[in-house]
Amino acid sequence: MMTLIKERVPTPERPVEERLKGFMEVNLGYTFELAVKEAERCLQCSPAPCTQGCPVHIDVPGFIRKLRENRDNPEKAVKEALEVIWACNTLPAITGRVCPQEDQCEAVCVMGKVGEPINIGKLERFVADYAREKGIDEKLLQEITPKIEKKKEKVAVIGAGPAGLTCAAELAKEGYQVTIFEALHKPGGVLVYGIPEFRLPKETIEKELEKLKKLGVEIKTDYVVGRTVTFDELLEEYDAVFIGTGAGTPKLLNIPGINLNGIYSANEFLTRVNLMKAYAFPEYETPIKVGKKVIVIGAGNTAMDAARTARRLGAEVTIAYRRGEEDVTARVEEVAHAKEEGVKFEFFLNPVEFIGDENGRVKAVKFMKMKPLEERDARGKRKLVPTGETAVLEADTVIIAIGKTTSKLLRMTLPQIEADEHGVIKVNENMMTNIPGVFAGGDAIRGEATVILAMGDGRKAAKGIKQYLEEKRKSS
């Protein structure tokens, strides 16, 4: 009889004192031996709820089984596991690091009913990292690419974020000619501008992007659709278009003092540090000023990223959240890392005013203290009421991380596209908009969501585009 091992095999992590000295990755990942040990805990369920819980439907038991079956042959184990993953997800080194598995595949893991769920995300990351280190992914690509039957149809993908990259990869595997148009000078979208090195190293992103290029995907950076090229021009040259422009416009607070110096949106703060490498100024030309006391407003993953980044830049950091700790939306792992690294948390504080000094720089934030009620709102969260009591916290830098919304630029140049009052694009079950041949996915149709949900949209849209192009070819 098989003995159930209830506790998951932990992954090694960089010590806190070492983390705060730079932007090195915190989680060090599994070795092959540790990965196999964790894989042996899997119950190999059939049907597998974890696969259904994954937005891109990776055969989770399938790739884990390959690690177990080939425990005496690491290269064979990883190659076969990678083949299973790549069937659904071409970017596992990324999703293995930033996907909220605890809310998806791991949330429905059967092992979680008797102990800790299988560490699916860390196993996925291990497979991708080991394959890259040993050149296994290169060999697999060399096997796959000659078998791809090239097609004449051309597809334009707007945005090189998770949705766009996934859509492009799936279409390239089907033989379509794919070009990605990216507004920034580096592809990756939120992966490069929004997620810090200590969570997702830029080298990892670059290596994953190399696979797309080898599949034949062309990536054009510094290309703003609506300015550099018009949408009409794209429709003339390409047989289908996918919109994956994300939600890069930050939400701000409409309260007194919002225009004081020293107040950043999390988008600007993280873009300056992650993409422009402001932490290495003057070696890189983009500076950033972070004072001694930083307040981060919000409690999602972006807030944790901003807070932990500010800590590495030498600041004392406090996260202020209008709700309680039970309502924090960031991943449990990220909250734990933030606390380990000295980030302080203040709950039930709602900002009502930014207070400035005589030079026009923020010096404090005034909050209204909030009280939770037993009554719940439509999302299941406790309703809040102001207590009438205020609190003032000192700060010479404030970072607002309360969410993002979609960009208006594309919709301004494409007014005929249907969207809701928030600018979220409407699509049908095949991810096509009201404009024939124009598809969309990711945050452009959701407002703001996770990397893996965007990738799921990209994969679904690729299927929709393939079906559309095949029907178009038959009718012509």
Side-chain angles (χ1 to χ4, degrees), residues 45-245:
C45 304
S46 181
C50 51
T51 295
Q52 293 306 309
C54 171
V56 295
H57 301 306
I58 293 172
D59 178 5
V60 175
F63 94 78
I64 291 177
R65 185 165 59 250
K66 298 299 183 182
L67 297 176
R68 287 162 43 154
E69 288 175 349
N70 300 290
R71 59 174 58 84
D72 297 324
N73 188 338
E75 295 217 1
K76 185 180 183 210
V78 170
K79 179 177 183 290
E80 293 184 359
L82 188 64
E83 286 178 312
V84 174
I85 295 171
W86 271 10
C88 300
N89 177 14
T90 321
L91 307 170
I94 293 172
T95 53
R97 285 171 164 83
V98 302
C99 176
Q101 293 93 1
E102 66 274 14
D103 295 326
Q104 293 168 161
C105 55
E106 293 176 13
V108 291
C109 174
V110 176
M111 265 301 295
K113 296 180 180 179
V114 294
E116 292 183 304
I118 305 302
N119 205 342
I120 298 168
K122 297 298 189 293
L123 288 175
E124 181 186 18
R125 169 193 163 168
F126 162 75
V127 170
D129 286 358
Y130 191 97
R132 185 175 70 248
E133 290 163 11
K134 302 294 183 181
I136 296 169
D137 55 353
E138 286 286 337
K139 294 175 185 175
L140 192 54
L141 271 174
Q142 288 169 9
E143 291 177 17
I144 292 171
T145 47
K147 299 174 185 177
I148 297 173
E149 183 183 343
K150 298 298 181 183
K151 297 180 175 66
K152 65 177 182 179
E153 289 90 351
K154 296 165 66 178
V155 181
V157 172
I158 305 172
L165 294 175
T166 302
C167 184
E170 294 300 315
L171 290 169
K173 286 192 286 186
E174 292 290 339
Y176 293 103
Q177 300 176 55
V178 185
T179 303
I180 299 176
F181 296 89
E182 169 56 44
L184 295 175
H185 65 279
K186 281 193 176 182
V190 69
L191 302 173
V192 292
Y193 75 74
I195 303 178
E197 287 267 350
F198 53 78
R199 236 178 14 109
L200 179 60
K202 300 297 175 279
E203 182 186 7
T204 299
I205 301 169
E206 289 165 5
K207 294 293 184 182
E208 294 286 77
L209 289 172
E210 282 300 315
K211 290 189 303 196
L212 266 70
K213 294 175 184 177
K214 286 174 182 176
L215 285 169
V217 175
E218 182 183 6
I219 303 176
K220 294 186 176 183
T221 55
D222 297 311
Y223 243 87
V224 182
V225 174
R227 291 290 184 269
T228 315
V229 62
T230 68
F231 204 91
D232 287 341
E233 287 172 334
L234 285 186
L235 289 175
E236 286 177 14
E237 184 177 351
Y238 293 88
D239 300 285
V241 176
F242 174 77
I243 300 171
T245 47

Side-chain angles (χ1 to χ4, degrees), residues 405-423:
T405 186
T406 55
S407 169
K408 295 180 180 179
L409 177 59
L410 186 65
R411 298 194 311 280
M412 286 166 59
T413 60
L414 194 64
Q416 66 268 41
I417 199 165
E418 287 186 4
D420 68 13
E421 66 273 19
H422 303 293

Side-chain angles (χ1 to χ4, degrees), residues 338-359:
K339 289 180 177 179
E340 290 168 4
E341 292 162 10
V343 175
K344 299 172 185 176
F345 286 75
E346 293 286 348
F347 298 105
F348 299 114
L349 292 181
N350 191 33
V352 292
E353 183 184 359
F354 297 115
I355 302 168
D357 61 17
E358 63 278 5
N359 298 314

Side-chain angles (χ1 to χ4, degrees), residues 175-382:
Y176 293 103
Q177 300 176 55
V178 185
T179 303
I180 299 176
F181 296 89
E182 169 56 44
L184 295 175
H185 65 279
K186 281 193 176 182
V190 69
L191 302 173
V192 292
Y193 75 74
I195 303 178
E197 287 267 350
F198 53 78
R199 236 178 14 109
L200 179 60
K202 300 297 175 279
E203 182 186 7
T204 299
I205 301 169
E206 289 165 5
K207 294 293 184 182
E208 294 286 77
L209 289 172
E210 282 300 315
K211 290 189 303 196
L212 266 70
K213 294 175 184 177
K214 286 174 182 176
L215 285 169
V217 175
E218 182 183 6
I219 303 176
K220 294 186 176 183
T221 55
D222 297 311
Y223 243 87
V224 182
V225 174
R227 291 290 184 269
T228 315
V229 62
T230 68
F231 204 91
D232 287 341
E233 287 172 334
L234 285 186
L235 289 175
E236 286 177 14
E237 184 177 351
Y238 293 88
D239 300 285
V241 176
F242 174 77
I243 300 171
T245 47
T249 304
K251 294 178 182 175
L252 297 174
L253 291 164
N254 186 22
I255 60 175
I258 186 63
N259 292 320
L260 290 168
N261 291 325
I263 299 176
Y264 294 92
S265 70
N267 260 33
E268 180 188 357
F269 180 78
L270 290 171
T271 299
R272 280 174 173 265
V273 177
N274 296 332
L275 189 60
M276 309 297 189
K277 298 186 178 181
Y279 58 85
F281 181 80
E283 180 183 351
Y284 292 88
E285 294 182 358
T286 300
I288 193 163
K289 184 172 182 179
V290 176
K292 294 180 180 179
K293 290 188 177 182
V294 173
I295 289 178
V296 178
I297 298 172
N301 287 319
T302 302
M304 298 305 142
D305 287 342
R308 296 174 65 198
T309 295
R311 282 289 293 136
R312 282 160 174 77
L313 295 175
E316 177 185 312
V317 183
T318 299
I319 284 179
Y321 185 42
R322 68 190 183 95
R323 295 187 176 274
E325 189 161 9
E326 67 179 44
D327 292 318
V328 167
T329 57
R331 298 184 68 187
V332 172
E333 182 180 44
E334 302 311 318
V335 174
H337 284 160
K339 289 180 177 179
E340 290 168 4
E341 292 162 10
V343 175
K344 299 172 185 176
F345 286 75
E346 293 286 348
F347 298 105
F348 299 114
L349 292 181
N350 191 33
V352 292
E353 183 184 359
F354 297 115
I355 302 168
D357 61 17
E358 63 278 5
N359 298 314
R361 185 174 182 87
V362 68
K363 69 175 184 179
V365 184
K366 183 178 181 181
F367 294 92
M368 173 63 68
K369 293 184 179 182
M370 307 300 287
K371 177 183 177 182
L373 303 176
E374 289 303 317
E375 187 181 353
R376 304 270 172 172
D377 62 20
R379 296 172 297 170
K381 294 186 176 182
R382 289 184 295 174

Side-chain angles (χ1 to χ4, degrees), residues 30-55:
Y30 281 134
T31 61
F32 181 72
E33 292 73 22
L34 290 175
V36 169
K37 191 174 178 182
E38 178 64 15
E40 287 173 342
R41 297 179 59 236
C42 179
L43 298 175
Q44 292 292 297
C45 304
S46 181
C50 51
T51 295
Q52 293 306 309
C54 171

